[in-house]
Amino acid sequence: MKKLFLLFAFINLFAHPLNITKMSIENNNTLFMRFAIFNVYKAFHKEEFNNTKVTNYILNHIKIDNCKIYPKKLVIRNEVVVDSWYLLKCNKITSIKFNLFFDFDKTQQGILKFDNKVLVFSPVKEKYILKKQENQFLLFLREGIIHILEGIDHIFFLTMLIVSVLLKHLKLKISLIEIVKVATAFTLSHSITLSLSMLNIITPPEKIIEVLIAITILFVALNNFYQWIKKEWQMAFVFGFIHGFGFANALRQMNVSLDNFIQVVFGFNSGVEIGQIFIIFALTPILFVLKSDKIMKIISGFTIILSLMWIIDRAFGLHFMPF
């Protein structure tokens, strides 16, 4: 009964939908945010929370490039609305990413008033690129690097391919050369489907693509046990077509203008390739030192479990996976 009363009070007194976070940036140095306390209850489930926990949760779900965000004040009004203020120390804001509450509620939105613009964030558009005058190639080169380094599923996909090569017990230098070939084959194929998708020639549903990406990880991990396919570059090339649609979905979330299509796609793909090479040269020596059939199989077995959880989570929209 109390929750019904609070809901009624919220709608009537504040005229604020439960699934919308309202935000504004004033003078480039103050961020204001207002949202429903009901969303905090959902985010923390039955776990107790305080202002510090809520603030940390918020800061983990908003990123403003070239800005440091410092919490100033958080107020819960009438057990219904959360108002919070943050101090921004910025050079020049080039992009903003917001996904507060998106992980458990796909109807959530964020509306930000900033610099005479109104930006609407949603689960299909989490990021806005604001600095249009910047060189598009360099801008999306950086975005490609960030995307692959933040993409846990893509990293596990690469890791399984690395493990597959190391199971052949080649020398480190030869292993690195083979793995770079695998990564290049992956980039070539995902470039094709990314371009086709961004040109709206082929645009499969995002949910299906996310499930298929998890299935590719499962297949490569299982292949480390059964060796159905012995040439890793073939798997990377074929499955790269699926991952390319996933990269296209990420680009759409950045408010991408395709006026400079070649710069955008080539820059993003180049960034992905650079990120992949970084991952390869970081992981391969470590895995090489640990190399033994038993350890490689343990890593692959863990990935099989993880990929199955991704498949179930993405197929049924359960959102229990944190990444």
Side-chain angles (χ1 to χ4, degrees), residues 21-40:
T21 299
K22 292 184 177 180
M23 298 171 284
S24 63
I25 295 178
E26 300 175 358
N27 302 320
N28 280 353
N29 62 12
T30 302
L31 169 66
F32 169 74
M33 187 179 298
R34 169 175 287 183
F35 52 83
I37 189 68
F38 294 99
N39 293 319
V40 178

Side-chain angles (χ1 to χ4, degrees), residues 46-93:
K46 295 182 180 179
E47 180 187 349
E48 292 185 4
F49 59 85
N50 52 39
N51 284 10
T52 300
K53 283 188 175 181
V54 175
T55 296
N56 290 336
Y57 181 80
I58 293 169
L59 292 178
N60 285 330
H61 291 83
I62 183 167
K63 295 181 181 179
I64 304 176
D65 276 4
N66 300 317
C67 280
K68 292 185 178 179
I69 306 176
Y70 300 95
K72 291 174 63 178
K73 184 170 65 171
L74 186 144
V75 178
I76 299 176
R77 302 187 185 280
N78 299 327
E79 298 185 56
V80 174
V81 169
V82 177
D83 284 344
S84 55
W85 292 262
Y86 304 87
L87 175 65
L88 302 180
K89 291 189 176 180
C90 307
N91 293 324
K92 186 167 185 179
I93 297 175

Side-chain angles (χ1 to χ4, degrees), residues 118-183:
V118 176
L119 307 180
V120 180
F121 298 88
S122 70
V124 297
K125 189 181 286 293
E126 296 183 2
K127 188 168 187 176
Y128 280 84
I129 304 295
L130 303 176
K131 195 176 179 183
K132 296 297 184 183
Q133 67 271 24
E134 184 175 329
N135 183 288
Q136 294 287 288
F137 174 81
L138 294 177
L139 180 61
F140 284 95
L141 177 76
R142 183 183 65 180
E143 293 298 329
I145 294 172
I146 293 172
H147 179 75
I148 195 71
L149 294 180
E150 291 182 342
I152 302 298
D153 48 358
H154 298 300
I155 291 175
F156 269 92
F157 179 75
L158 276 175
T159 302
M160 287 301 94
L161 291 170
I162 293 171
V163 167
S164 181
V165 172
L166 293 180
L167 282 170
K168 296 179 178 179
H169 299 285
L170 304 171
K171 293 182 179 180
L172 178 58
K173 182 178 178 180
I174 298 174
S175 295
L176 283 170
I177 293 172
E178 288 299 313
I179 293 164
V180 170
K181 289 179 181 177
V182 168

Side-chain angles (χ1 to χ4, degrees), residues 220-321:
V220 179
L222 286 170
N223 191 69
N224 289 340
F225 287 92
Y226 300 107
Q227 296 295 308
W228 298 311
I229 300 175
K230 299 187 182 298
K231 294 183 178 180
E232 291 78 14
W233 71 265
Q234 293 178 345
M235 286 189 292
F237 185 76
V238 171
F239 292 151
F241 289 113
I242 296 172
H243 286 251
F245 290 119
F247 293 143
N249 291 331
L251 270 177
R252 287 197 184 91
Q253 293 177 7
M254 299 177 194
N255 192 35
V256 173
S257 170
L258 294 181
D259 295 337
N260 298 309
F261 178 81
I262 294 177
Q263 289 189 52
V264 169
V265 174
F266 184 61
F268 189 80
N269 273 320
S270 298
V272 169
E273 180 75 355
I274 291 171
Q276 287 177 168
I277 291 173
F278 175 82
I279 292 167
I280 287 168
F281 281 90
L283 285 180
T284 302
I286 296 172
L287 293 173
F288 187 85
V289 170
L290 298 173
K291 185 173 64 173
S292 73
D293 287 352
K294 183 177 181 180
I295 292 177
M296 296 298 103
K297 295 294 176 64
I298 289 173
I299 295 172
S300 298
F302 172 78
T303 304
I304 288 171
I305 296 171
L306 183 63
S307 59
L308 285 170
M309 293 172 67
W310 269 327
I311 291 169
I312 295 169
D313 182 59
R314 296 174 180 186
F316 298 100
L318 302 178
H319 309 301
F320 62 82
M321 293 293 285

